Amino acid sequence: MPWRLLRFALSSKHPEPRMFTRHDTLKPTYDVVIIGAGGHGLAAAYYLARDHGITNICVLEKGYLGGGNTGRNTTIIRSNYLTPEGVKFYDESVRLWQDLSQDFDLNLFYSNRGHFTLAHTDAAMRTSRWRAEVNKHYGIESEVVGPEFVKKTAPMIDLACGGAPILGGLYHAPGAVARHDTVAWGYGRGADLRGVEIHQRTEVTGIDVVGGKVVGVQTSKGRIATTKVLCAVAGSTPRILKMIDVRSPLYIHPLQAMVSEPIKPWLDTILVSGSLHIYISQSSRGELVMGASLDPYEVQSTRSTLDFPEGLAAHMLDMFPFLSNVKVMRQWAGMADMTPDFAPIMGKTPVEGFYLDAGWGTWGFKATPVCGKTMSWTVANDRNHELITGFTLDRFRDYALTGEKGAASVGH
Ligand code: FAD
Ligand code: PYC
């Protein structure tokens, strides 16, 4: 048997196509250079090629494809935001998610679960009502529910919650999860098939700007001439902005998560408690995917700590005491690029030809498709797409913030 397998593996009769083309050298010039092969950079490359016919693009990635926050998040998809700008934007994303597996011919394991934001205080109930009203106004399915509905949907929950009883919360039926790394692979393969070059292990070390315009990019593998650069590097954004001397109010905090060993399916839905600072869902493999709020210090690091599983597990057991013997299998961290108003920073910048897709903090996975769509449009037309006008960098200069903190899911 091993011999037959080996013969098959060494035969050239049924070659397994590689997921991506390997490019050993950079061309001297590209129409568009995208920094960061996370979901956002790859989605923008995909839609630039597919919808705008721009294919002379390279995506530069200092590590490996999807190895940043895209491969580290807890995959929650929802549109139950607080501001009209946010609700419309994320709603469009949820719409785009529906067809992606088909588009890519790749199963993203998109799974509609319903999403609870649990309220343990009167103030949290009030925010739930506020969000439900804004959501309904824009046609989004969200409603305020009582503790009975929570118990019916998640029967294993202890509503007393260790002294912080659940009063009810916001229920958002479209809430979903998907397999995060396949999203990067799907967009990457789709872009690659259309002629986009993806260069992994290629770090951007400088941006050449002359007369306020982008003219080139310095990389660990040489210089590239270009007039358009899209920066989609999440937690590394301040480092890139320094290269073009542009200031932003971004601050970077680690965000950690962990998964348990796989257990029998018992949790169908997604539960978030802003007061306990925890959230949980069960993956299709049976693992419990769990997270909490940001680490309370600014640092650009993906190191995880022992404090984190200890604190998270204590609150998780308040909610689900029966989990006390379940083992934690692994934990990790990503670098969350936070903004003061918990909304992203998107679009044109003071440097001509330099476009920014950042400020995705703890909430950017769900936005991957709509970011790709709107940023590719913005780059192709050199004009901010109408869906991102509430998210531009100059809102901080103009004191016109887009306050999304109440919908940020995990408490901060
Ligand atoms: P990334 O995936 O981080 O990609 C950026 C890439 O840029 C990286 O691969 C990096 O290596 C590369 N790069 C950086 N500097 C350079 C350089 N100089 N040259 C070349 N390449 C460079 N969001 C949700 O919507 N739902 C969730 O449930 C959720 N949970 C989360 C849980 C955790 C633990 C974390 C950390 C985040 C979570 N998020 C969630 C947020 C979400 O993961 C991010 O907002 C999103 O993945 C950002 O995608 P991106 O493509 O912009 O960035
Ligand atoms: O944006 O829904 C979200 C989320 C949950 C956990 C981290 N981010």
Side-chain angles (χ1 to χ4, degrees), residues 55-76:
T55 56
N56 185 25
I57 301 172
C58 71
V59 183
L60 304 177
E61 168 54 54
K62 74 173 176 187
Y64 61 94
L65 188 146
N69 289 351
T70 296
R72 293 164 190 268
N73 66 71
T74 43
T75 84
I76 295 173

Side-chain angles (χ1 to χ4, degrees), residues 247 340-341 390 392-403:
R247 284 180 56 209
D341 59 1
T392 54
L393 179 61
D394 50 21
R395 75 179 184 275
F396 299 104
R397 183 199 59 202
D398 301 339
Y399 300 102
L401 304 193
T402 303

Side-chain angles (χ1 to χ4, degrees), residues 349-367:
T349 67
V351 174
E352 205 178 312
F354 189 90
Y355 307 87
L356 192 56
D357 174 71
W360 286 108
T362 69
W363 49 86
F365 174 67
K366 68 181 76 60

Side-chain angles (χ1 to χ4, degrees), residues 35-41 60-77 81 202-205 232-236 240 243 255-257 279 332-337 357 360-368:
I35 316 175
H40 288 218
L60 304 177
E61 168 54 54
K62 74 173 176 187
Y64 61 94
L65 188 146
N69 289 351
T70 296
R72 293 164 190 268
N73 66 71
T74 43
T75 84
I76 295 173
I77 297 165
Y81 276 76
T202 309
E203 181 169 0
V204 169
T205 54
V233 298
S236 300
I240 300 283
M243 297 173 189
L255 181 67
Q256 303 195 46
Y279 61 94
W332 64 90
M335 294 194 295
D337 43 333
D357 174 71
W360 286 108
T362 69
W363 49 86
F365 174 67
K366 68 181 76 60
T368 306

